[in-house]
Amino acid sequence: MERRKLLGAAFVAATASLTDLQLTGSASAARRFNGRSTSALLEQIQKTHGGRRWRKAQVIEAHVAYGGPFWAFKGVADFVGTDHVVADVHRQRIRLTQPSGRVIAFDKYADVLTVTEPHGAVERLWHPRASFDGYTATSQWSVAQAGYFRAYATWLYLVEAYVFTYPGVRITEAEPWVESGETWRVLDVTFPPSIDTHCPTQRYYFDADASMVRIDYEAEVSGALPTAHYQPRHAVFDGALITTRHEIYARNADRTPDRSLVRISLDVKRASLH
């Protein structure tokens, strides 16, 4: 119990007084840039990330290693480990097989999360997003709720930035961001209800090569704490650029990350597109 209190303090203390900029907020944070320039950036993003290969693919398969104290804090310590992941490219559907043999499957079209335990027991959580109503940053989750969070988030992390081409996705360019001596271009991406995301509008950062290097969001299912999600490593698999290292931090009011704690980490290994 004492360990959980300490973890809770690490997660929420730094954000208790945050008055973070809303991603769709003031004119200074959402200035529209020249349409031609933004269109050129979007084209370069798809080219860099292998958009042509993504269009031809139906499925992405990978092994994803999940770490960080977040899982224990949420009451699902056995979620730390490496899952075998199979995800559809053109619809939000994903299956994750955990080391224990537990299988987690999410189908957004049906809006159901299914957990199949190794001994055969099956749990279905219909309309899983609604199950988080009233939850705060310190609320613990059931296995099905944790599975839903992992499923929709992993699907996004694998398919981004190809998901920008999905119907109903709206994109606005915001002010450039300077970090570590680099200038990154910034896109505010608003997703339609047909795609489950951390929050309706998420902010994406791209380096000079149009590689995705950071995402900002507030995960609604976990108290909407401001988050800075970094992507420091990438690799090309079957002609598609995929982020192979994800590091997720709390985000300060000035948009800088609190690097004192990596809340969640993901490492993507042996990915392939079919």
Side-chain angles (χ1 to χ4, degrees), residues 44 182-184 206-211:
Q44 184 59 43
E182 297 183 5
T183 299
W184 296 341
F206 296 87
D207 66 13
D209 297 323
S211 294

Side-chain angles (χ1 to χ4, degrees), residues 20-146:
D20 191 75
L21 288 173
Q22 294 297 310
L23 295 184
T24 57
S26 67
S28 63
R31 180 166 63 88
R32 291 180 182 272
F33 281 67
N34 179 275
R36 179 177 299 176
S37 176
T38 302
S39 296
L41 173 60
L42 291 171
E43 291 176 6
Q44 184 59 43
I45 289 169
Q46 292 306 315
K47 183 178 180 180
T48 296
H49 289 261
R52 183 175 299 178
R53 180 67 183 95
W54 284 107
R55 285 194 297 273
K56 293 180 179 179
Q58 298 299 316
V59 171
I60 178 171
E61 185 173 359
H63 288 81
V64 183
Y66 301 87
F70 176 86
W71 308 106
F73 178 71
K74 286 297 186 182
V76 286
D78 65 341
F79 269 50
V80 172
T82 301
D83 293 1
H84 175 231
V85 178
V86 180
D88 284 14
V89 171
H90 301 285
R91 61 181 291 184
Q92 194 171 27
R93 184 169 61 183
I94 185 170
R95 184 179 75 249
L96 308 94
T97 303
Q98 298 185 316
S100 66
R102 175 192 289 146
V103 177
I104 296 167
F106 174 58
D107 185 340
K108 173 57 181 174
Y109 182 80
D111 204 17
V112 61
L113 185 287
T114 304
V115 179
T116 305
E117 297 291 352
H119 53 74
V122 176
E123 177 184 2
R124 289 185 176 86
L125 182 62
W126 295 93
H127 313 299
R129 194 64 163 234
S131 72
F132 295 90
D133 288 351
Y135 276 49
T136 68
T138 59
S139 299
Q140 290 203 308
W141 291 344
S142 68
V143 167
Q145 287 175 315

Side-chain angles (χ1 to χ4, degrees), residues 152-175:
Y152 84 74
T154 300
W155 183 86
L156 279 171
Y157 303 157
L158 291 175
V159 176
E160 290 163 333
Y162 182 65
V163 74
F164 294 173
T165 68
Y166 272 49
V169 174
R170 295 185 290 110
I171 299 173
T172 300
E173 186 165 7
E175 294 278 359

